[in-house]
């Protein structure tokens, strides 16, 4: 029998299921309903505060045909969770040239973004400086102090608090 971590088994699937991050959830829902979505988000906080879960919920919600109060749809065909390597970031730079075939946005979730090398940060920076209108980056980290200021200055920062 294989072991499944609790956060994988019981990951939240809608904004209403999220506990303890009410200001962040409300802000993201407001952005969705007013259709004023940013191109880069930085979710930072300690382990277990819901950064990746909220990133996935937000990614589904922005691609929903008819969002109701920011409630997410079931699928996100254009969401990509990216491993933090230089080759993966270079692949992103190639992919962002093309608009999504399904949904309104291509959403890239880069978890543990502080693990990127200097070369990978530089490659990411080029895309963050002038992103296409259909691309959203969600960077998640537990160590925000390791992220270059050039990346930080191009993101909307959300600090997740412990519950």
């Amino acid at each position: 029998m294989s072991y499944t971590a609790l956060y994988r088994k019981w990951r939240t699937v809608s904004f209403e299921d999220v506990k303890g991050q009410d200001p962040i959830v409300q802000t993201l829902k407001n952005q969705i309903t007013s259709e004023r979505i940013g191109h880069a988000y930085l979710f930072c906080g300690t382990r277990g505060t819901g950064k990746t879960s909220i990133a996935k919920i937000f990614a589904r919600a922005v691609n929903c045909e008819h969002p109701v109060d920011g409630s997410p749809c079931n699928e996100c065909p254009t969401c990509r969770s990216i491993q933090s390597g230089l080759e993966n970031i270079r692949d992103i730079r190639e992919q962002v040239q093309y608009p999504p075939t399904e949904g309104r946005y291509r959403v890239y979730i880069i978890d543990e973004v502080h693990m990127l090398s200097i070369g990978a940060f530089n490659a990411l920076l080029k895309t963050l400086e002038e992103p296409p209108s259909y691309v959203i980056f969600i960077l998640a980290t537990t160590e925000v102090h390791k992220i270059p200021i050039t990346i930080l200055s191009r993101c909307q920062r959300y600090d997740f608090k412990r519950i």
Side-chain angles (χ1 to χ4, degrees):
M1 179 186 285
S2 66
Y3 172 76
T4 304
L6 287 177
Y7 73 90
R8 291 192 189 273
K9 187 173 181 179
W10 303 105
R11 186 179 296 273
T12 56
V13 293
S14 72
F15 284 129
E16 286 70 32
D17 295 338
V18 175
K19 303 295 182 219
Q21 306 300 340
D22 296 337
I24 294 170
V25 167
Q26 189 60 50
T27 302
L28 295 175
K29 286 170 69 172
N30 289 345
Q31 287 184 12
I32 293 166
T33 55
S34 66
E35 296 184 8
R36 298 187 60 149
I37 297 166
H39 73 280
Y41 296 86
L42 176 65
F43 292 174
C44 46
T46 59
R47 194 183 67 174
T49 54
K51 299 177 299 295
T52 304
S53 295
I54 291 177
K56 290 179 180 188
I57 293 167
F58 183 70
R60 284 193 308 270
V62 297
N63 276 316
C64 190
E65 286 293 321
H66 305 288
V68 179
D69 294 329
S71 299
C73 297
N74 291 333
E75 296 297 319
C76 184
T78 57
C79 301
R80 308 274 190 282
S81 290
I82 304 300
Q83 298 297 319
S84 53
L86 179 57
E87 281 303 312
N88 296 326
I89 301 301
R90 286 184 179 155
D91 288 344
I92 290 174
R93 285 182 44 197
E94 299 286 326
Q95 294 170 7
V96 298
Q97 298 175 23
Y98 308 106
T101 55
E102 297 179 51
R104 297 185 300 185
Y105 297 97
R106 278 186 186 268
V107 182
Y108 295 96
I109 300 170
I110 306 176
D111 205 4
E112 300 300 332
V113 70
H114 64 272
M115 301 290 286
L116 291 177
S117 67
I118 297 299
F121 273 125
N122 288 335
L124 179 61
L125 180 61
K126 291 183 188 290
T127 306
L128 282 178
E129 285 176 336
E130 296 178 18
S133 61
Y134 50 82
V135 173
I136 300 172
F137 287 97
I138 303 174
L139 314 177
T141 185
T142 55
E143 300 182 41
V144 72
H145 61 277
K146 292 184 177 180
I147 299 174
I149 191 73
T150 53
I151 300 290
L152 291 174
S153 66
R154 287 161 176 83
C155 298
Q156 293 181 27
R157 179 175 170 170
Y158 294 90
D159 291 308
F160 285 66
K161 307 293 183 210
R162 291 196 63 94
I163 298 173

